[in-house]
Amino acid sequence: MNESLNISRLRIGWVLCLKLFVYLPLKSQTSTTIGKEFYFSFLPNGETDNGYQMSVSLTSQFTTSGTLEVLGTGYSQPFTINANSTLKLDIPNLYKLGGIDQLEQKVVYVNTEQDITAYAYNEDFRSSDGTMVLPVESLDKEYIITAYKRFVGNGNNWKSQFIVLGVTDDTEVDITFAGEVEANGQVLFEKGQTITRTLNRGEVILYQSVNDLTGTQVKVTDDGTVNCKKIAVFAGNDEFGTNSSFAGNSTDHTFSQLYAVRDWGKEYFVLLHETRFLPEPVVIVAAEDNTRLEITSVPPQTLNKGEIFPFFAEVEHYIIAEKPISVTHYTSSASDDRSERGDNIADPFMMVLSPLKQTSNDMVFNIFESETIQQHYLSIVTSTQRLDMRLDGENIADQFAPMDLAEQYSLAIIPISPGAHRLQSNSGAIAHAYGFGEEEGIGYAIGGDLGQFDIDIRNVNSGLPTGQVCANEDFELSVTAENQVLNELYTNFEWDMGDGTVLVGPVVSYRYTTPGNYNITLSASKSELSCSDLNVSRNMEVMGAAIESIAGPQVVCPNVENVSYELTGSEPDYD
């Protein structure tokens, strides 16, 4: 019967603005680990230089080109990454950081044509660590430091440290220290003291202390307006150990990029690491006052903003908080459980854990390739009910088992080889990679995001989805998300309709009066006073003529010609 509706057989003398609806949902990624722009730098690593090397490994699903620069120095490396492979780029040692509280032009900037993931590595002899690097879209303006130092005093000179990177000129930053900052035996800043520093794009500033700086608050200065400048923050230790002898032969460098406070979560798993036998340090930091924690096998705790709760994990733990928290997992010194293992294949690393809300369906990642790391592992947590997991195209669902802590989740910890990999799951997953070598350890999250927003455009009268509208025709725009966390976090939506009109709300209605092409831009944020960290645009075509009614036969047999319909409406004005 559809044959009778062939427009060439109808006696219509002009093209009409028919309601031919095409569903074109608009999707936009929120905080994520893939992108095209990355800013990073490196923490000081230990006290000596025994083959020190800074590097970055780049991985992509696509063949893409890009450039690595050390901003403001003239140093530049063009590069090309082949699809589903890893490219390692070394950074000259002259861009190591030097003094405390000094602005330095030592920020590495990577820019590519297609999306990639990036991992920074800070290597020295038996003193290495690495971190996933977040793209600029996942940076924000408020951070709280985790740079845990278990032993303070008694001649222990291991340093708690962090760096702040400017990605925009004239970025004013307030820093409130959770411990004294010292240099050359002199106290530079007191515990609780707040200082303000101004960073330009490409500048980085370092703070170190023999005291624990965990809980230090770093944020772009609040000037009473919506200040949308961002910063990047990395933290760790020049050396970290859990052996109170301070012998130095069982310590390791720790180094991680920190998630912005806006991306902290309320639920985490702490998992035991393969080959390790003794309890491992876990550090929780609260984003808000009166944050109550429920931790399996640990008494309940209540923390205020910036307050920390360290404990040692002897078993796996499920952490549930009433308000956002960060959780960082450290491994113990090799000497602590050497007798149980019978070797030195272990040492500390620092892993900032991904919250359960940050599942990802598709992760392209890199396992660090180094002569010093001999064993590599991948831990994966996913939904038990919708278990579906592929690693490099191979179905690995049979390697998962429900977790005793929460049977709605399943866990797999699998050995993995160095190099580029791809993890895919329809139900989403969180994953972390780690490895051990001779008195060496390295660990990092491999990817995650909060999912995607769908933007639905529908004709108001018919209720049908549409990709085009007619002039003077009402249509509705709405925001939806499969991940309920997105609906909870993002509450403020602004729609720039491209004709000077701005609408506010998760659901809005509008009509264009003039034909043409309009660029609709959605800006989403977590409050009226926060920056829009999700921006997405869509071109809308507005047709110039509308059909008010079509009169004629409702049923037409095939191969019948000269069927007449009477159309009521306006004819477009063609040039």
Side-chain angles (χ1 to χ4, degrees), residues 166-185:
V167 300
T168 307
D169 286 344
D170 299 318
T171 301
E172 196 171 87
V173 179
D174 294 332
I175 303 172
T176 303
F177 294 102
E180 284 186 353
V181 175
E182 299 177 351
N184 301 319

Side-chain angles (χ1 to χ4, degrees), residues 35-157:
K36 299 182 179 71
E37 291 185 89
F38 300 81
Y39 293 82
F40 57 97
S41 191
F42 297 85
L43 297 171
N45 182 351
E47 299 292 338
T48 59
D49 187 345
N50 296 310
Y52 186 81
Q53 182 62 63
M54 302 176 294
S55 64
V56 61
S57 290
L58 310 176
T59 304
S60 179
Q61 298 178 37
F62 317 101
T63 296
T64 186
S65 60
T67 304
L68 180 149
E69 304 174 60
V70 180
L71 294 173
T73 68
Y75 180 81
S76 177
Q77 288 189 63
F79 60 82
T80 298
I81 310 170
N82 293 323
N84 301 310
S85 65
T86 294
L87 176 69
K88 181 180 178 184
L89 300 174
D90 292 336
I91 290 102
N93 286 348
L94 79 106
Y95 300 116
K96 293 195 300 185
L97 292 178
I100 299 174
D101 194 39
Q102 297 179 14
L103 292 172
E104 299 186 74
Q105 291 279 101
K106 295 180 178 179
V107 172
V108 182
Y109 172 65
V110 171
N111 183 29
T112 57
E113 295 179 356
Q114 300 281 350
D115 284 338
I116 66 169
T117 53
Y119 301 87
Y121 299 107
N122 206 353
E123 302 177 71
D124 206 343
F125 179 69
R126 295 184 178 179
S127 182
S128 304
D129 205 1
T131 179
M132 175 179 61
V133 182
L134 299 173
V136 67
E137 293 87 356
S138 296
L139 304 180
D140 200 43
K141 60 182 182 178
E142 182 178 6
Y143 298 80
I144 301 178
I145 301 300
T146 296
Y148 181 57
K149 181 177 179 181
R150 184 185 178 198
F151 302 106
V152 176
N154 298 324
N156 175 9
N157 290 320

Side-chain angles (χ1 to χ4, degrees), residues 192-314:
Q193 182 177 349
T194 299
I195 63 171
T196 301
R197 296 292 182 266
T198 300
L199 286 79
N200 288 321
R201 180 175 182 262
E203 291 182 333
V204 56
I205 194 164
L206 164 70
Y207 295 95
Q208 287 182 324
S209 179
V210 295
N211 301 294
D212 187 6
L213 294 178
T214 302
T216 295
Q217 299 179 36
V218 181
K219 64 177 182 178
V220 176
T221 303
D222 184 0
D223 59 3
T225 65
V226 180
N227 187 341
C228 291
K229 294 182 178 180
K230 301 178 179 182
I231 53 176
V233 177
F234 295 75
N237 309 78
D238 66 337
E239 295 180 84
F240 178 89
T242 55
N243 190 320
S244 60
S245 69
F246 311 142
N249 64 348
S250 194
T251 63
D252 210 340
H253 177 55
T254 64
F255 167 54
S256 187
Q257 181 163 14
L258 301 185
Y259 292 120
V261 170
R262 70 162 193 211
D263 291 325
W264 290 10
K266 299 178 183 179
E267 294 185 72
Y268 294 81
F269 284 125
V270 175
L271 307 174
L272 299 183
H273 294 111
E274 293 291 289
T275 77
R276 304 310 306 267
F277 292 89
L278 289 181
E280 297 180 331
V282 177
V283 179
I284 300 175
V285 184
E288 301 178 24
D289 289 342
N290 299 314
T291 298
R292 182 174 173 80
L293 306 175
E294 297 286 346
I295 310 170
T296 53
S297 306
V298 176
Q301 304 290 323
T302 300
L303 304 179
N304 288 324
K305 182 176 183 178
E307 190 174 355
I308 75 170
F309 175 64
F311 69 94
F312 271 70
E314 299 183 60

Side-chain angles (χ1 to χ4, degrees), residues 323-481:
K323 300 175 183 179
I325 59 172
S326 75
V327 180
T328 303
H329 191 176
Y330 294 83
T331 48
S332 298
S333 298
S335 57
D336 286 356
D337 57 358
R338 181 180 293 132
S339 59
E340 289 86 349
R341 291 191 323 276
D343 58 38
N344 283 324
I345 309 301
D347 229 7
F349 61 73
M350 169 188 185
M351 183 185 291
V352 177
L353 300 183
S354 297
L356 294 183
K357 72 178 183 180
Q358 287 191 359
T359 61
S360 179
N361 296 86
D362 194 348
M363 290 175 265
V364 175
F365 63 97
N366 178 61
I367 298 297
F368 181 49
E369 187 166 1
S370 169
E371 295 179 357
T372 64
I373 302 297
Q374 303 168 24
Q375 302 169 348
H376 298 271
Y377 300 94
L378 183 67
S379 67
I380 313 167
V381 175
T382 189
S383 168
T384 300
Q385 185 176 6
R386 298 186 297 162
L387 182 53
D388 166 55
M389 194 69 58
R390 298 172 304 285
L391 178 62
D392 299 327
E394 180 182 349
N395 191 332
I396 59 169
D398 60 354
Q399 299 190 44
F400 285 79
M403 301 180 66
D404 293 336
L405 295 172
E407 292 186 350
Q408 66 269 34
Y409 294 100
S410 287
L411 167 68
I413 300 178
I414 59 177
I416 192 168
S417 61
H421 296 275
R422 185 175 185 180
L423 186 68
Q424 296 170 286
S425 170
N426 292 330
S427 58
I430 59 170
H432 300 81
Y434 59 93
F436 298 111
E438 185 75 18
E439 292 190 3
E440 187 68 277
I442 187 170
Y444 46 90
I446 67 163
D449 60 60
L450 291 177
Q452 297 178 321
F453 275 125
D454 289 346
I455 299 176
D456 192 16
I457 304 177
R458 291 179 180 268
N459 178 274
V460 169
N461 295 322
S462 68
L464 295 173
T466 182
Q468 60 187 21
V469 295
C470 298
N472 298 307
E473 177 185 43
D474 293 329
F475 63 95
E476 182 180 87
L477 301 103
S478 61
V479 180
T480 61

